[in-house]
Amino acid sequence: DAEITQSPRHKITETGRQVTLACHQTWNHNNMFWYRQDLGHGLRLIHYSYGVQDTNKGEVSDGYSVSRSNTEDLPLTLESAASSQTSVYFCASSETGGFPGELFFGEGSRLTVL
Amino acid sequence: AQKITQTQPGMFVQEKEAVTLDCTYDTSDPSYGLFWYKQPSSGEMIFLIYQGSYDQQNATEGRYSLNFQKARKSANLVISASQLGDSAMYFCAMRPWASGTYKYIFGTGTRLKVLA
């Protein structure tokens, strides 16, 4: 079965360190997204990509970067982790032109920055 | 601005009763899709139901129905005959179609607790 997987599922790091969260999907979806989930804020879009070599900033992109070198993967990098980036991170994907076009989510990655 | 508003941070419902979770949206796009997701305590996001802006009828999926009132810009989720397993966080989301993007905007969520 097709799926979307995130790793690591749990990560504790220190302020200032670089962290990369991996996201791999086997749906062959062109569209991939990274969201962060925080209490009282719901899910907020960090970065998204509509295909290989395409990346775009979301509403909370400061301090994060992504790259898309193939269809399956969209790693999220925190260049210098800050305590404000402690959150649960979700990767998601969707079809281009599919109906109804719902998002398929990974299991989430819980990041703690000390 | 495109926005989803869920005004109920938390709700309680008695088992076997129906419950309505509110969602209002704001968009200038003439066509859009509205989605509801369930997030149980285990953390995964589960797609529940979809409503298109041009759909004439309210969407239904088993015990879930979407009360779509376009003029009021509301897309409330109705869960009939609540079960203990319905206890979860529920998110309303919107994807504007006409803007040519595939971005999804989420509300802040409603935490539902079903009481035995």
Side-chain angles (χ1 to χ4, degrees):
Chain A
D1 287 346
E3 60 182 1
I4 180 166
T5 55
Q6 295 181 227
S7 63
R9 297 291 310 280
H10 300 273
K11 173 81 175 176
I12 300 174
T13 191
E14 294 178 343
T15 302
R17 291 193 179 252
Q18 183 181 77
V19 176
T20 295
L21 304 180
C23 175
H24 179 82
Q25 54 101 359
T26 57
W27 292 101
N28 199 35
H29 287 162
N30 284 328
N31 309 320
M32 295 186 72
F33 308 83
W34 274 103
Y35 287 89
R36 61 178 288 175
Q37 182 180 7
D38 303 286
L39 193 63
H41 292 278
L43 280 80
R44 292 181 292 175
L45 184 62
I46 305 172
H47 281 286
Y48 59 101
S49 167
Y50 291 153
V52 176
Q53 303 301 331
D54 177 73
T55 60
N56 305 279
K57 293 181 178 180
E59 61 179 309
V60 290
S61 60
D62 286 349
Y64 303 94
S65 63
V66 293
S67 61
R68 187 90 180 268
S69 59
N70 57 53
T71 300
E72 296 80 17
D73 299 289
L74 187 72
L76 177 71
T77 297
L78 288 68
E79 301 293 343
S80 177
S83 57
S84 60
Q85 295 176 308
T86 293
S87 186
V88 178
Y89 291 86
F90 283 97
C91 181
S93 69
S94 72
E95 279 187 286
T96 299
F99 180 84
E102 76 272 26
L103 285 171
F104 293 76
F105 283 88
E107 318 96 311
S109 295
R110 182 175 296 275
L111 176 67
T112 302
V113 183
L114 301 176
Chain B
Q2 322 242 29
K3 189 178 181 181
I4 292 283
T5 301
Q6 294 180 255
T7 57
Q8 306 154 314
M11 288 192 70
F12 292 93
V13 65
Q14 207 66 37
E15 193 179 11
K16 300 181 185 177
E17 293 187 349
V19 63
T20 297
L21 306 184
D22 294 341
C23 172
T24 58
Y25 60 91
D26 188 18
T27 181
S28 56
D29 281 12
S31 57
Y32 45 88
L34 297 157
F35 303 80
W36 277 92
Y37 289 85
K38 174 184 179 181
Q39 186 182 40
S41 58
S42 51
E44 74 268 31
M45 296 287 285
I46 303 167
F47 167 62
L48 294 178
I49 195 167
Y50 163 83
Q51 178 83 42
S53 58
Y54 289 113
D55 292 343
Q56 297 296 315
Q57 292 188 320
N58 288 340
T60 60
E61 288 288 347
R63 294 185 300 109
Y64 303 108
S65 61
L66 204 153
N67 183 0
F68 180 48
Q69 298 188 40
K70 194 170 182 178
R72 294 186 176 186
K73 294 191 173 181
S74 73
N76 299 339
L77 177 70
V78 180
I79 305 174
S80 63
S82 297
Q83 302 172 356
L84 296 178
D86 294 332
S87 293
M89 180 74 89
Y90 289 82
F91 291 99
C92 180
M94 173 177 65
R95 188 206 137 186
W97 297 102
S99 58
T101 74
Y102 292 85
K103 289 197 299 183
Y104 301 74
I105 302 146
F106 284 82
T108 52
T110 295
R111 185 172 298 281
L112 177 66
K113 175 70 174 177
V114 180
L115 304 173

PDB file of all heavy atoms in Angstrom, chain A residues 71-106:
ATOM      1  N   THR A  71      10.515  13.033  -6.593  1.00  0.00           N
ATOM      2  CA  THR A  71       9.088  13.102  -6.297  1.00  0.00           C
ATOM      3  C   THR A  71       8.763  12.619  -4.894  1.00  0.00           C
ATOM      4  O   THR A  71       7.850  13.118  -4.262  1.00  0.00           O
ATOM      5  CB  THR A  71       8.303  12.253  -7.325  1.00  0.00           C
ATOM      6  OG1 THR A  71       8.538  12.763  -8.633  1.00  0.00           O
ATOM      7  CG2 THR A  71       6.810  12.273  -7.039  1.00  0.00           C
ATOM      8  N   GLU A  72       9.534  11.659  -4.396  1.00  0.00           N
ATOM      9  CA  GLU A  72       9.155  10.969  -3.164  1.00  0.00           C
ATOM     10  C   GLU A  72       9.491  11.711  -1.881  1.00  0.00           C
ATOM     11  O   GLU A  72       8.876  11.473  -0.848  1.00  0.00           O
ATOM     12  CB  GLU A  72       9.837   9.593  -3.114  1.00  0.00           C
ATOM     13  CG  GLU A  72       9.415   8.623  -4.209  1.00  0.00           C
ATOM     14  CD  GLU A  72      10.113   8.904  -5.523  1.00  0.00           C
ATOM     15  OE1 GLU A  72      11.138   9.615  -5.543  1.00  0.00           O
ATOM     16  OE2 GLU A  72       9.616   8.405  -6.561  1.00  0.00           O
ATOM     17  N   ASP A  73      10.496  12.580  -1.909  1.00  0.00           N
ATOM     18  CA  ASP A  73      11.038  13.108  -0.652  1.00  0.00           C
ATOM     19  C   ASP A  73      10.972  14.628  -0.549  1.00  0.00           C
ATOM     20  O   ASP A  73      11.256  15.334  -1.519  1.00  0.00           O
ATOM     21  CB  ASP A  73      12.496  12.672  -0.482  1.00  0.00           C
ATOM     22  CG  ASP A  73      12.637  11.164  -0.430  1.00  0.00           C
ATOM     23  OD1 ASP A  73      12.223  10.583   0.585  1.00  0.00           O
ATOM     24  OD2 ASP A  73      13.144  10.575  -1.407  1.00  0.00           O
ATOM     25  N   LEU A  74      10.634  15.103   0.640  1.00  0.00           N
ATOM     26  CA  LEU A  74      10.680  16.532   0.933  1.00  0.00           C
ATOM     27  C   LEU A  74      11.208  16.703   2.355  1.00  0.00           C
ATOM     28  O   LEU A  74      10.432  16.797   3.317  1.00  0.00           O
ATOM     29  CB  LEU A  74       9.297  17.179   0.800  1.00  0.00           C
ATOM     30  CG  LEU A  74       9.290  18.708   0.936  1.00  0.00           C
ATOM     31  CD1 LEU A  74       9.917  19.343  -0.319  1.00  0.00           C
ATOM     32  CD2 LEU A  74       7.863  19.236   1.124  1.00  0.00           C
ATOM     33  N   PRO A  75      12.525  16.724   2.517  1.00  0.00           N
ATOM     34  CA  PRO A  75      13.080  16.906   3.862  1.00  0.00           C
ATOM     35  C   PRO A  75      12.932  18.345   4.337  1.00  0.00           C
ATOM     36  O   PRO A  75      13.068  19.290   3.551  1.00  0.00           O
ATOM     37  CB  PRO A  75      14.554  16.522   3.689  1.00  0.00           C
ATOM     38  CG  PRO A  75      14.837  16.740   2.235  1.00  0.00           C
ATOM     39  CD  PRO A  75      13.549  16.497   1.501  1.00  0.00           C
ATOM     40  N   LEU A  76      12.662  18.497   5.617  1.00  0.00           N
ATOM     41  CA  LEU A  76      12.530  19.810   6.250  1.00  0.00           C
ATOM     42  C   LEU A  76      13.743  20.036   7.142  1.00  0.00           C
ATOM     43  O   LEU A  76      14.019  19.211   8.024  1.00  0.00           O
ATOM     44  CB  LEU A  76      11.253  19.874   7.083  1.00  0.00           C
ATOM     45  CG  LEU A  76      11.017  21.172   7.871  1.00  0.00           C
ATOM     46  CD1 LEU A  76      10.663  22.310   6.907  1.00  0.00           C
ATOM     47  CD2 LEU A  76       9.895  20.985   8.883  1.00  0.00           C
ATOM     48  N   THR A  77      14.442  21.137   6.932  1.00  0.00           N
ATOM     49  CA  THR A  77      15.639  21.439   7.713  1.00  0.00           C
ATOM     50  C   THR A  77      15.427  22.683   8.561  1.00  0.00           C
ATOM     51  O   THR A  77      14.947  23.709   8.056  1.00  0.00           O
ATOM     52  CB  THR A  77      16.856  21.639   6.795  1.00  0.00           C
ATOM     53  OG1 THR A  77      17.122  20.420   6.096  1.00  0.00           O
ATOM     54  CG2 THR A  77      18.094  22.028   7.601  1.00  0.00           C
ATOM     55  N   LEU A  78      15.771  22.556   9.832  1.00  0.00           N
ATOM     56  CA  LEU A  78      15.833  23.693  10.725  1.00  0.00           C
ATOM     57  C   LEU A  78      17.306  24.066  10.810  1.00  0.00           C
ATOM     58  O   LEU A  78      18.120  23.286  11.324  1.00  0.00           O
ATOM     59  CB  LEU A  78      15.304  23.352  12.110  1.00  0.00           C
ATOM     60  CG  LEU A  78      13.787  23.159  12.261  1.00  0.00           C
ATOM     61  CD1 LEU A  78      13.288  21.901  11.537  1.00  0.00           C
ATOM     62  CD2 LEU A  78      13.413  23.111  13.726  1.00  0.00           C
ATOM     63  N   GLU A  79      17.677  25.191  10.268  1.00  0.00           N
ATOM     64  CA  GLU A  79      19.089  25.545  10.140  1.00  0.00           C
ATOM     65  C   GLU A  79      19.747  25.735  11.497  1.00  0.00           C
ATOM     66  O   GLU A  79      20.872  25.301  11.714  1.00  0.00           O
ATOM     67  CB  GLU A  79      19.219  26.818   9.296  1.00  0.00           C
ATOM     68  CG  GLU A  79      18.648  26.697   7.895  1.00  0.00           C
ATOM     69  CD  GLU A  79      19.423  25.719   7.017  1.00  0.00           C
ATOM     70  OE1 GLU A  79      20.577  25.374   7.382  1.00  0.00           O
ATOM     71  OE2 GLU A  79      18.884  25.288   5.982  1.00  0.00           O
ATOM     72  N   SER A  80      19.052  26.378  12.410  1.00  0.00           N
ATOM     73  CA  SER A  80      19.574  26.634  13.758  1.00  0.00           C
ATOM     74  C   SER A  80      18.367  26.586  14.693  1.00  0.00           C
ATOM     75  O   SER A  80      17.661  27.581  14.842  1.00  0.00           O
ATOM     76  CB  SER A  80      20.260  27.996  13.804  1.00  0.00           C
ATOM     77  OG  SER A  80      20.703  28.277  15.118  1.00  0.00           O
ATOM     78  N   ALA A  81      18.149  25.434  15.277  1.00  0.00           N
ATOM     79  CA  ALA A  81      16.920  25.198  16.021  1.00  0.00           C
ATOM     80  C   ALA A  81      16.743  26.193  17.167  1.00  0.00           C
ATOM     81  O   ALA A  81      17.700  26.545  17.874  1.00  0.00           O
ATOM     82  CB  ALA A  81      16.901  23.772  16.562  1.00  0.00           C
ATOM     83  N   ALA A  82      15.512  26.630  17.341  1.00  0.00           N
ATOM     84  CA  ALA A  82      15.142  27.547  18.422  1.00  0.00           C
ATOM     85  C   ALA A  82      14.030  26.913  19.241  1.00  0.00           C
ATOM     86  O   ALA A  82      13.273  26.080  18.733  1.00  0.00           O
ATOM     87  CB  ALA A  82      14.685  28.879  17.838  1.00  0.00           C
ATOM     88  N   SER A  83      13.903  27.346  20.499  1.00  0.00           N
ATOM     89  CA  SER A  83      12.883  26.765  21.373  1.00  0.00           C
ATOM     90  C   SER A  83      11.476  26.978  20.821  1.00  0.00           C
ATOM     91  O   SER A  83      10.570  26.168  21.060  1.00  0.00           O
ATOM     92  CB  SER A  83      12.997  27.343  22.783  1.00  0.00           C
ATOM     93  OG  SER A  83      12.883  28.755  22.753  1.00  0.00           O
ATOM     94  N   SER A  84      11.308  28.062  20.069  1.00  0.00           N
ATOM     95  CA  SER A  84       9.997  28.347  19.467  1.00  0.00           C
ATOM     96  C   SER A  84       9.633  27.337  18.378  1.00  0.00           C
ATOM     97  O   SER A  84       8.486  27.318  17.916  1.00  0.00           O
ATOM     98  CB  SER A  84       9.989  29.755  18.872  1.00  0.00           C
ATOM     99  OG  SER A  84      10.989  29.872  17.869  1.00  0.00           O
ATOM    100  N   GLN A  85      10.584  26.539  17.973  1.00  0.00           N
ATOM    101  CA  GLN A  85      10.320  25.532  16.954  1.00  0.00           C
ATOM    102  C   GLN A  85       9.963  24.167  17.567  1.00  0.00           C
ATOM    103  O   GLN A  85       9.777  23.194  16.830  1.00  0.00           O
ATOM    104  CB  GLN A  85      11.519  25.401  16.011  1.00  0.00           C
ATOM    105  CG  GLN A  85      11.747  26.670  15.204  1.00  0.00           C
ATOM    106  CD  GLN A  85      12.984  26.600  14.327  1.00  0.00           C
ATOM    107  OE1 GLN A  85      14.079  26.276  14.798  1.00  0.00           O
ATOM    108  NE2 GLN A  85      12.810  26.920  13.043  1.00  0.00           N
ATOM    109  N   THR A  86       9.866  24.114  18.872  1.00  0.00           N
ATOM    110  CA  THR A  86       9.327  22.928  19.524  1.00  0.00           C
ATOM    111  C   THR A  86       7.880  22.766  19.086  1.00  0.00           C
ATOM    112  O   THR A  86       7.066  23.673  19.273  1.00  0.00           O
ATOM    113  CB  THR A  86       9.414  23.061  21.052  1.00  0.00           C
ATOM    114  OG1 THR A  86      10.783  23.045  21.448  1.00  0.00           O
ATOM    115  CG2 THR A  86       8.657  21.935  21.739  1.00  0.00           C
ATOM    116  N   SER A  87       7.565  21.631  18.485  1.00  0.00           N
ATOM    117  CA  SER A  87       6.249  21.467  17.874  1.00  0.00           C
ATOM    118  C   SER A  87       6.107  20.037  17.379  1.00  0.00           C
ATOM    119  O   SER A  87       7.032  19.229  17.450  1.00  0.00           O
ATOM    120  CB  SER A  87       6.092  22.449  16.708  1.00  0.00           C
ATOM    121  OG  SER A  87       4.783  22.418  16.176  1.00  0.00           O
ATOM    122  N   VAL A  88       4.918  19.752  16.863  1.00  0.00           N
ATOM    123  CA  VAL A  88       4.694  18.523  16.123  1.00  0.00           C
ATOM    124  C   VAL A  88       4.633  18.887  14.647  1.00  0.00           C
ATOM    125  O   VAL A  88       3.872  19.778  14.270  1.00  0.00           O
ATOM    126  CB  VAL A  88       3.402  17.815  16.558  1.00  0.00           C
ATOM    127  CG1 VAL A  88       3.184  16.552  15.730  1.00  0.00           C
ATOM    128  CG2 VAL A  88       3.457  17.461  18.036  1.00  0.00           C
ATOM    129  N   TYR A  89       5.415  18.189  13.857  1.00  0.00           N
ATOM    130  CA  TYR A  89       5.524  18.499  12.438  1.00  0.00           C
ATOM    131  C   TYR A  89       4.863  17.391  11.612  1.00  0.00           C
ATOM    132  O   TYR A  89       5.124  16.212  11.829  1.00  0.00           O
ATOM    133  CB  TYR A  89       6.989  18.646  12.034  1.00  0.00           C
ATOM    134  CG  TYR A  89       7.626  19.869  12.634  1.00  0.00           C
ATOM    135  CD1 TYR A  89       8.186  19.823  13.914  1.00  0.00           C
ATOM    136  CD2 TYR A  89       7.650  21.069  11.949  1.00  0.00           C
ATOM    137  CE1 TYR A  89       8.751  20.955  14.491  1.00  0.00           C
ATOM    138  CE2 TYR A  89       8.214  22.206  12.506  1.00  0.00           C
ATOM    139  CZ  TYR A  89       8.757  22.139  13.778  1.00  0.00           C
ATOM    140  OH  TYR A  89       9.313  23.265  14.340  1.00  0.00           O
ATOM    141  N   PHE A  90       4.023  17.821  10.677  1.00  0.00           N
ATOM    142  CA  PHE A  90       3.353  16.878   9.790  1.00  0.00           C
ATOM    143  C   PHE A  90       3.770  17.140   8.354  1.00  0.00           C
ATOM    144  O   PHE A  90       3.745  18.281   7.879  1.00  0.00           O
ATOM    145  CB  PHE A  90       1.832  17.012   9.893  1.00  0.00           C
ATOM    146  CG  PHE A  90       1.241  16.377  11.104  1.00  0.00           C
ATOM    147  CD1 PHE A  90       0.966  17.129  12.226  1.00  0.00           C
ATOM    148  CD2 PHE A  90       0.966  15.017  11.123  1.00  0.00           C
ATOM    149  CE1 PHE A  90       0.427  16.545  13.366  1.00  0.00           C
ATOM    150  CE2 PHE A  90       0.416  14.416  12.247  1.00  0.00           C
ATOM    151  CZ  PHE A  90       0.149  15.187  13.372  1.00  0.00           C
ATOM    152  N   CYS A  91       4.111  16.072   7.687  1.00  0.00           N
ATOM    153  CA  CYS A  91       4.298  16.092   6.260  1.00  0.00           C
ATOM    154  C   CYS A  91       3.018  15.577   5.620  1.00  0.00           C
ATOM    155  O   CYS A  91       2.353  14.688   6.184  1.00  0.00           O
ATOM    156  CB  CYS A  91       5.481  15.214   5.876  1.00  0.00           C
ATOM    157  SG  CYS A  91       5.842  15.164   4.116  1.00  0.00           S
ATOM    158  N   ALA A  92       2.664  16.110   4.465  1.00  0.00           N
ATOM    159  CA  ALA A  92       1.456  15.668   3.775  1.00  0.00           C
ATOM    160  C   ALA A  92       1.683  15.736   2.272  1.00  0.00           C
ATOM    161  O   ALA A  92       2.573  16.452   1.794  1.00  0.00           O
ATOM    162  CB  ALA A  92       0.261  16.536   4.171  1.00  0.00           C
ATOM    163  N   SER A  93       0.868  15.001   1.538  1.00  0.00           N
ATOM    164  CA  SER A  93       0.954  15.043   0.085  1.00  0.00           C
ATOM    165  C   SER A  93      -0.447  15.001  -0.511  1.00  0.00           C
ATOM    166  O   SER A  93      -1.409  14.596   0.170  1.00  0.00           O
ATOM    167  CB  SER A  93       1.804  13.882  -0.448  1.00  0.00           C
ATOM    168  OG  SER A  93       1.145  12.642  -0.267  1.00  0.00           O
ATOM    169  N   SER A  94      -0.555  15.420  -1.744  1.00  0.00           N
ATOM    170  CA  SER A  94      -1.838  15.359  -2.437  1.00  0.00           C
ATOM    171  C   SER A  94      -1.600  15.236  -3.931  1.00  0.00           C
ATOM    172  O   SER A  94      -0.530  15.613  -4.440  1.00  0.00           O
ATOM    173  CB  SER A  94      -2.693  16.599  -2.141  1.00  0.00           C
ATOM    174  OG  SER A  94      -2.171  17.747  -2.790  1.00  0.00           O
ATOM    175  N   GLU A  95      -2.618  14.734  -4.610  1.00  0.00           N
ATOM    176  CA  GLU A  95      -2.563  14.611  -6.056  1.00  0.00           C
ATOM    177  C   GLU A  95      -2.781  15.951  -6.721  1.00  0.00           C
ATOM    178  O   GLU A  95      -3.474  16.820  -6.195  1.00  0.00           O
ATOM    179  CB  GLU A  95      -3.691  13.685  -6.546  1.00  0.00           C
ATOM    180  CG  GLU A  95      -3.417  12.219  -6.431  1.00  0.00           C
ATOM    181  CD  GLU A  95      -4.528  11.439  -7.105  1.00  0.00           C
ATOM    182  OE1 GLU A  95      -5.619  11.364  -6.532  1.00  0.00           O
ATOM    183  OE2 GLU A  95      -4.304  10.927  -8.220  1.00  0.00           O
ATOM    184  N   THR A  96      -2.214  16.093  -7.908  1.00  0.00           N
ATOM    185  CA  THR A  96      -2.551  17.237  -8.746  1.00  0.00           C
ATOM    186  C   THR A  96      -3.780  16.870  -9.559  1.00  0.00           C
ATOM    187  O   THR A  96      -3.756  15.900 -10.312  1.00  0.00           O
ATOM    188  CB  THR A  96      -1.391  17.576  -9.685  1.00  0.00           C
ATOM    189  OG1 THR A  96      -0.244  17.916  -8.905  1.00  0.00           O
ATOM    190  CG2 THR A  96      -1.764  18.736 -10.595  1.00  0.00           C
ATOM    191  N   GLY A  97      -4.847  17.619  -9.378  1.00  0.00           N
ATOM    192  CA  GLY A  97      -6.052  17.369 -10.148  1.00  0.00           C
ATOM    193  C   GLY A  97      -6.892  16.221  -9.657  1.00  0.00           C
ATOM    194  O   GLY A  97      -7.919  15.897 -10.235  1.00  0.00           O
ATOM    195  N   GLY A  98      -6.473  15.576  -8.590  1.00  0.00           N
ATOM    196  CA  GLY A  98      -7.262  14.456  -8.081  1.00  0.00           C
ATOM    197  C   GLY A  98      -8.522  14.951  -7.392  1.00  0.00           C
ATOM    198  O   GLY A  98      -8.613  16.096  -6.978  1.00  0.00           O
ATOM    199  N   PHE A  99      -9.508  14.066  -7.268  1.00  0.00           N
ATOM    200  CA  PHE A  99     -10.747  14.410  -6.580  1.00  0.00           C
ATOM    201  C   PHE A  99     -10.963  13.472  -5.413  1.00  0.00           C
ATOM    202  O   PHE A  99     -10.848  12.252  -5.584  1.00  0.00           O
ATOM    203  CB  PHE A  99     -11.930  14.326  -7.539  1.00  0.00           C
ATOM    204  CG  PHE A  99     -13.240  14.661  -6.884  1.00  0.00           C
ATOM    205  CD1 PHE A  99     -13.630  15.983  -6.755  1.00  0.00           C
ATOM    206  CD2 PHE A  99     -14.031  13.662  -6.341  1.00  0.00           C
ATOM    207  CE1 PHE A  99     -14.809  16.298  -6.112  1.00  0.00           C
ATOM    208  CE2 PHE A  99     -15.211  13.965  -5.697  1.00  0.00           C
ATOM    209  CZ  PHE A  99     -15.613  15.281  -5.592  1.00  0.00           C
ATOM    210  N   PRO A 100     -11.330  13.963  -4.208  1.00  0.00           N
ATOM    211  CA  PRO A 100     -11.548  15.377  -3.926  1.00  0.00           C
ATOM    212  C   PRO A 100     -10.275  16.149  -3.624  1.00  0.00           C
ATOM    213  O   PRO A 100     -10.353  17.326  -3.309  1.00  0.00           O
ATOM    214  CB  PRO A 100     -12.466  15.316  -2.703  1.00  0.00           C
ATOM    215  CG  PRO A 100     -12.007  14.118  -1.967  1.00  0.00           C
ATOM    216  CD  PRO A 100     -11.664  13.120  -3.042  1.00  0.00           C
ATOM    217  N   GLY A 101      -9.156  15.500  -3.687  1.00  0.00           N
ATOM    218  CA  GLY A 101      -7.900  16.203  -3.475  1.00  0.00           C
ATOM    219  C   GLY A 101      -7.511  16.351  -2.029  1.00  0.00           C
ATOM    220  O   GLY A 101      -6.838  17.312  -1.656  1.00  0.00           O
ATOM    221  N   GLU A 102      -7.926  15.364  -1.226  1.00  0.00           N
ATOM    222  CA  GLU A 102      -7.590  15.476   0.193  1.00  0.00           C
ATOM    223  C   GLU A 102      -6.096  15.282   0.418  1.00  0.00           C
ATOM    224  O   GLU A 102      -5.381  14.713  -0.402  1.00  0.00           O
ATOM    225  CB  GLU A 102      -8.374  14.442   1.012  1.00  0.00           C
ATOM    226  CG  GLU A 102      -7.859  13.012   0.915  1.00  0.00           C
ATOM    227  CD  GLU A 102      -8.451  12.248  -0.237  1.00  0.00           C
ATOM    228  OE1 GLU A 102      -8.860  12.880  -1.246  1.00  0.00           O
ATOM    229  OE2 GLU A 102      -8.493  11.007  -0.153  1.00  0.00           O
ATOM    230  N   LEU A 103      -5.648  15.773   1.557  1.00  0.00           N
ATOM    231  CA  LEU A 103      -4.266  15.591   1.957  1.00  0.00           C
ATOM    232  C   LEU A 103      -4.083  14.218   2.588  1.00  0.00           C
ATOM    233  O   LEU A 103      -4.935  13.754   3.334  1.00  0.00           O
ATOM    234  CB  LEU A 103      -3.856  16.654   2.978  1.00  0.00           C
ATOM    235  CG  LEU A 103      -3.594  18.066   2.473  1.00  0.00           C
ATOM    236  CD1 LEU A 103      -3.420  19.019   3.634  1.00  0.00           C
ATOM    237  CD2 LEU A 103      -2.387  18.097   1.569  1.00  0.00           C
ATOM    238  N   PHE A 104      -2.949  13.599   2.279  1.00  0.00           N
ATOM    239  CA  PHE A 104      -2.546  12.361   2.930  1.00  0.00           C
ATOM    240  C   PHE A 104      -1.402  12.725   3.874  1.00  0.00           C
ATOM    241  O   PHE A 104      -0.394  13.281   3.438  1.00  0.00           O
ATOM    242  CB  PHE A 104      -2.075  11.340   1.894  1.00  0.00           C
ATOM    243  CG  PHE A 104      -3.172  10.862   0.995  1.00  0.00           C
ATOM    244  CD1 PHE A 104      -3.658  11.658  -0.032  1.00  0.00           C
ATOM    245  CD2 PHE A 104      -3.733   9.606   1.166  1.00  0.00           C
ATOM    246  CE1 PHE A 104      -4.670  11.229  -0.867  1.00  0.00           C
ATOM    247  CE2 PHE A 104      -4.741   9.157   0.319  1.00  0.00           C
ATOM    248  CZ  PHE A 104      -5.218   9.969  -0.686  1.00  0.00           C
ATOM    249  N   PHE A 105      -1.566  12.392   5.140  1.00  0.00           N
ATOM    250  CA  PHE A 105      -0.620  12.827   6.145  1.00  0.00           C
ATOM    251  C   PHE A 105       0.325  11.716   6.585  1.00  0.00           C
ATOM    252  O   PHE A 105      -0.058  10.531   6.621  1.00  0.00           O
ATOM    253  CB  PHE A 105      -1.359  13.328   7.389  1.00  0.00           C
ATOM    254  CG  PHE A 105      -1.946  14.695   7.245  1.00  0.00           C
ATOM    255  CD1 PHE A 105      -3.211  14.876   6.727  1.00  0.00           C
ATOM    256  CD2 PHE A 105      -1.222  15.811   7.631  1.00  0.00           C
ATOM    257  CE1 PHE A 105      -3.759  16.143   6.600  1.00  0.00           C
ATOM    258  CE2 PHE A 105      -1.762  17.087   7.510  1.00  0.00           C
ATOM    259  CZ  PHE A 105      -3.031  17.251   6.998  1.00  0.00           C
ATOM    260  N   GLY A 106       1.536  12.121   6.969  1.00  0.00           N
ATOM    261  CA  GLY A 106       2.417  11.233   7.707  1.00  0.00           C
ATOM    262  C   GLY A 106       1.982  11.163   9.161  1.00  0.00           C
ATOM    263  O   GLY A 106       1.015  11.806   9.570  1.00  0.00           O
TER     264      GLY A 106
END
